[in-house]
Amino acid sequence: MRVKCVICDNLNEIPDFSPLAKKLRNRPIHTYMCPACHDRITEKTMARLATGKFRFIRNAVQEEEEF
């Protein structure tokens, strides 16, 4: 299956019967991101988390549930 990265517009090939291909076929709202873009975003997010000025909204909800 040919897929296109939503960030860098590179075309990649993934196996037709992989779980990712099935997810992309059955749920059009899901998008594909190439491994290079995924790794770059992960690194930048971890750098923001290390500053202490950035927090995930999901973490705030979990903290409220604990009270």
Side-chain angles (χ1 to χ4, degrees), residues 3-63:
V3 291
K4 187 176 188 180
C5 178
V6 294
I7 296 175
C8 64
D9 292 333
N10 284 339
L11 292 174
N12 292 336
E13 189 77 26
I14 59 173
D16 287 334
F17 298 106
S18 69
L20 178 60
K22 183 177 179 182
K23 183 172 77 169
L24 292 172
R25 272 193 309 270
N26 292 335
R27 298 181 186 103
I29 192 73
H30 291 156
T31 56
Y32 174 78
M33 196 173 359
C34 67
C37 290
H38 186 269
D39 293 340
R40 183 172 45 89
I41 290 174
T42 301
E43 290 172 11
K44 290 185 181 262
T45 302
M46 292 303 167
R48 281 191 308 227
L49 281 172
T51 64
K53 296 180 181 180
F54 177 80
R55 64 185 178 123
F56 284 115
I57 300 299
R58 287 181 275 155
N59 290 344
V61 172
Q62 290 175 354
E63 291 172 2

